[in-house]
């Protein structure tokens, strides 16, 4: 069953608000096994909205409209949808009563324009709104069903969860299940190259790659008659991805982060870590402290932006800084070892680099970053050349520092 | 001139990501005086994308496509747009060279699929990408112009700012000028309440508020026949906003950040600052190091997540921690003073709080944060009760620490 989404609102076309409803509804529809091929945004213009509704009704089984159900003159979604579906509007007594009660509760008089929200297309299912005045509407046509939802997320979300999801669950044709594998330490195109053969021949299940800085997330999705059958289809693909990416896969959990996965490893192995940051200036420690309850594993970190701070706080030797410079494998090594010693931790991570936009040279260009990680007497140092602006370089450095830290914890690193 | 937006990506149709590009581009187009009537989202499906491009080309003067320019097989935006515009793809030598250099710098081999990013529609304007491998494209047709942009926001935004905005500015029909005022230290609804009377009666110029954590940005926009006339319309509104928000306005520059404004103040007054962070774990220092060239003003910072670290690195007294607890005005004060002393700086900022989700009590609930700031012998401490999840609490703490730091530098603080 195909579904299409139409969001109505001039504020979306002006960029005044971000369309979070679209992401919310798209995710829910995907979970329901509905195939969404189109999302559209139009303003509060009846001609353009009507044309779009007609197009949508032709090409999709289900059309979800959100926004434009309110009391004002330019709220025209219901009127337009009713016209497209050939229904007239009739008064819904319960909707009228709910509007009266709503205003009573907030101690305001009902302004006349509010009553139009009690008019509903004849023969439709009315979705009463506990969090606002405009009810939602389901119009079941012969070919298409249209579902109209209020625009404010605090009304739309509960209405969808409590009324629309159960309605659609009963109608959905098949089960869709998916499994997430999150990988660190490979770029997007590298990840894709390694699975190109799988993607080329895929039908069911499918693999969808999604790239973030320093991470690639692969979602395996299967359709079947039951969850058991769907997961049986997913299992061999998952096994194959594990074979190809191995320890690069840091989690299978949708909501797990790289720092969260590392915190778990540290906790399991009863290890502590400290950080020494130059160009990233605290972003690495900031990522670690994202994890609630990290305090047993991470207790202190050092921002050593100047050479003096590197010497004073970390004990980086003056001659190392003089001979090799602040951005060098030697300094990264001494920073990692220095914070380990100063904080008395099992592991230490040091980052030094040139984030730009200035400060680069031919020998040491902007984007050059050294990351050191020491663990119980052994120190590993990696060199990176990142691209992008200052913020991208720093973000990449942090992602790769986390990846290196994880590798060292797993004891599977090769020295560079 | 009408503009239409097509975002390409299955991840949008699956609801895996929120379409922030649409809001960004819509806002910029509105600023340019372009009328946007439609936004659409399609997946990585060439037939549906082609159909949508054809429809868009018929009804809009300008079509902006974003996403689907990458190296992988399902990146088909460029191929589809070229077909719709009747152009063949030719190799762009500079794009090819940039891809080669990019991979050389990151010490990786170019996987074959990357080269397709160097193919561009003949006769198009190529927008080279400093932050990624896929260039953007402008195809000027007889009726319509298509602009293709990469999907990742960190590539799309700078490409739009630096290359597309200037291109479109030259083509726009009337003059639209705007002025930005960025305010810290007031919430969105408070800011809006203070200017409600101005917003209600506005026609030209208009004031558009935009809220971020700890900041509100007000954009005053005027339409006129010349920039001089537009700015003459803006001037009295700007003066009124200065009267209402005063020193809360930290910059008028579009690209200036709060930390950037603070860095300028520090530099002007030849002041240095250090940081001591508990619950924010380095995010404050990370914000300061966002500013290129901050190294004269900020040289070191301390992440003191544990009580031991607070004592050892900052000299917070054991009895303060015992008597008042780690989350207390007393500890915030000693953290600020401690980092000031340890780093020998003019100013010191200390943050301690309960970011959650656990660790809250009736007396000290989740979201309670104390921020101390000391300056040459005087220490100011503020108490905050933030709402939201762990990450929101930490973000709010950092924004308010920057605001407090700025107030202290301006010497206009009242002790709490």
């Amino acid at each position: 069953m195909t579904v299409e989404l139409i969001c109505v609102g001039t504020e979306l076309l002006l960029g005044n608000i971000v369309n979070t409803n679209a992401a919310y509804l798209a995710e829910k529809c995907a979970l329901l096994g509905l195939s969404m091929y189109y999302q559209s945004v139009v303003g509060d213009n009846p001609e353009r909205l009507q044309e779009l509704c007609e197009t949508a009704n032709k090409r999709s089984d289900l059309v979800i409209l959100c926004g434009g159900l309110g009391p004002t003159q330019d709220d025209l979604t219901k009127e337009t949808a009713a016209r497209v579906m050939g229904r007239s509007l009739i008064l819904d007594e319960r909707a009228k009563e709910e509007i009266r009660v709503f205003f009573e509760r907030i101690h305001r008089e009902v302004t006349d324009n509010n009553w139009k929200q009690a008019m509903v297309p004849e023969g439709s299912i009315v979705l009463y709104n506990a969090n606002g005045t405009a009810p939602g509407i389901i119009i079941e046509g012969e070919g298409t069903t249209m579902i109209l939802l209020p625009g404010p997320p605090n009304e739309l979300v509960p209405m969808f969860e409590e009324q629309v999801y159960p309605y659609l669950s009963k109608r959905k044709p098949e089960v869709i299940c998916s499994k997430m594998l999150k990988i660190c330490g490979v770029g997007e195109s590298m990840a894709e190259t390694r699975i190109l053969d799988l993607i080329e021949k895929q039908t069911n299940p499918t693999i969808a790659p999604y790239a973030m800085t320093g991470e690639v997330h692969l979602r395996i999705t299967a359709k079947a008659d039951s969850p058991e059958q769907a997961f049986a289809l997913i299992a061999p693909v998952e096994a194959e991805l594990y074979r190809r990416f191995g320890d690069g896969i840091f989690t299978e959990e949708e909501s797990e982060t790289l720092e969260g996965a590392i915190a778990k490893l540290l906790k399991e192995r009863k290890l502590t870590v400290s950080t020494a940051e130059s160009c990233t200036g605290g972003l690495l420690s900031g990522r670690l402290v994202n994890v609630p309850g990290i305090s047993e594993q991470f207790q202190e970190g050092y921002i050593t932006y100047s050479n003096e701070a590197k010497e004073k706080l970390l004990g980086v030797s003056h001659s190392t800084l003089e001979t090799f410079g602040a951005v060098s494998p030697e300094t990264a090594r001494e920073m990692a070892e220095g914070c380990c010693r100063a904080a008395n931790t099992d592991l230490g991570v040091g980052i030094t680099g040139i984030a730009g936009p200035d400060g680069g040279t031919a020998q040491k260009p902007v984007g050059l970053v050294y990351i050191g990680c020491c663990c119980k007497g052994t120190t590993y140092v990696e060199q990176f050349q990142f691209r992008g602006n200052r913020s991208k370089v720093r973000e990449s450095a942090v992602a790769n520092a986390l990846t290196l830290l994880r590798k060292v914890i797993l004891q599977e690193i090769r020295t560079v």
Side-chain angles (χ1 to χ4, degrees), chain A residues 61-116:
Chain A
D61 303 318
L62 188 65
V63 179
I64 301 180
L65 285 134
C66 57
L69 294 184
T72 74
Q73 281 220 316
D74 58 1
D75 289 314
L76 292 162
T77 302
K78 191 170 57 190
E79 291 75 3
T80 307
R83 192 161 52 244
V84 169
M85 298 293 271
R87 309 286 176 101
S88 52
L89 293 173
I90 56 170
L91 179 71
D92 184 273
E93 287 294 345
R94 179 170 161 197
K96 187 180 172 189
E97 176 61 13
E98 294 207 349
I99 291 168
R100 198 189 59 71
V101 170
F102 181 87
F103 277 88
E104 200 173 78
R105 271 199 318 211
I106 60 169
H107 304 290
R108 291 224 181 119
E109 269 189 55
V110 189
T111 52
D112 274 348
N113 55 0
N114 275 288
W115 297 120
K116 96 177 177 87

Side-chain angles (χ1 to χ4, degrees), chain A residues 124-135:
Chain A
S124 64
I125 301 168
V126 182
L127 310 169
Y128 297 100
N129 184 347
N131 304 294
T133 51

Side-chain angles (χ1 to χ4, degrees), chain A residues 39-76:
Chain A
Q39 294 173 1
S40 309
V41 176
V42 273
D44 305 306
N45 174 288
E47 290 77 32
R48 284 192 284 273
L49 178 57
Q50 175 161 348
E51 183 207 317
L52 202 58
C53 284
E54 284 164 356
T55 305
N57 280 8
K58 267 182 226 142
R59 65 191 179 190
S60 301
D61 303 318
L62 188 65
V63 179
I64 301 180
L65 285 134
C66 57
L69 294 184
T72 74
Q73 281 220 316
D74 58 1
D75 289 314
L76 292 162

Side-chain angles (χ1 to χ4, degrees), chain A residues 59-259:
Chain A
R59 65 191 179 190
S60 301
D61 303 318
L62 188 65
V63 179
I64 301 180
L65 285 134
C66 57
L69 294 184
T72 74
Q73 281 220 316
D74 58 1
D75 289 314
L76 292 162
T77 302
K78 191 170 57 190
E79 291 75 3
T80 307
R83 192 161 52 244
V84 169
M85 298 293 271
R87 309 286 176 101
S88 52
L89 293 173
I90 56 170
L91 179 71
D92 184 273
E93 287 294 345
R94 179 170 161 197
K96 187 180 172 189
E97 176 61 13
E98 294 207 349
I99 291 168
R100 198 189 59 71
V101 170
F102 181 87
F103 277 88
E104 200 173 78
R105 271 199 318 211
I106 60 169
H107 304 290
R108 291 224 181 119
E109 269 189 55
V110 189
T111 52
D112 274 348
N113 55 0
N114 275 288
W115 297 120
K116 96 177 177 87
Q117 298 173 103
M119 301 297 289
V120 305
E122 53 178 346
S124 64
I125 301 168
V126 182
L127 310 169
Y128 297 100
N129 184 347
N131 304 294
T133 51
I137 305 282
I138 299 177
I139 315 174
E140 294 179 329
E142 289 190 10
T144 316
T145 295
M146 298 189 94
I147 301 180
L148 283 55
L149 299 172
N154 67 317
E155 301 177 28
L156 178 140
V157 172
M159 188 180 284
F160 193 91
E161 304 278 334
E162 290 156 25
Q163 302 185 69
V164 182
Y165 196 95
Y167 169 83
L168 291 174
S169 293
K170 284 192 206 134
R171 288 187 50 170
K172 76 178 174 190
E174 56 191 340
V175 173
I176 300 235
C177 296
S178 75
K179 175 108 195 204
M180 173 66 92
L181 300 181
K182 298 187 182 179
I183 304 169
C184 61
V186 288
E188 183 188 17
S189 66
M190 175 63 78
E192 173 126 9
T193 303
R194 282 208 225 162
I195 57 171
L196 201 59
D197 56 316
L198 299 178
I199 286 186
E200 273 176 351
K201 69 178 187 203
Q202 72 185 7
T203 49
N204 184 27
T206 56
I207 306 171
Y210 174 65
M212 297 168 57
T213 302
E215 298 178 25
V216 175
H217 299 178
L218 299 178
R219 183 188 294 281
I220 318 166
T221 306
K223 298 189 186 194
D225 290 331
S226 70
E228 294 70 30
Q229 288 175 353
F231 284 113
L233 289 168
I234 287 172
V237 179
E238 183 189 345
E240 182 59 28
L241 292 175
Y242 263 98
R243 203 185 64 71
R244 297 190 187 194
F245 293 102
D247 272 338
I249 298 172
F250 65 86
T251 189
E252 299 183 357
E253 285 174 45
E254 293 280 346
S255 60
E256 183 65 293
T257 58
L258 181 52
E259 58 268 30

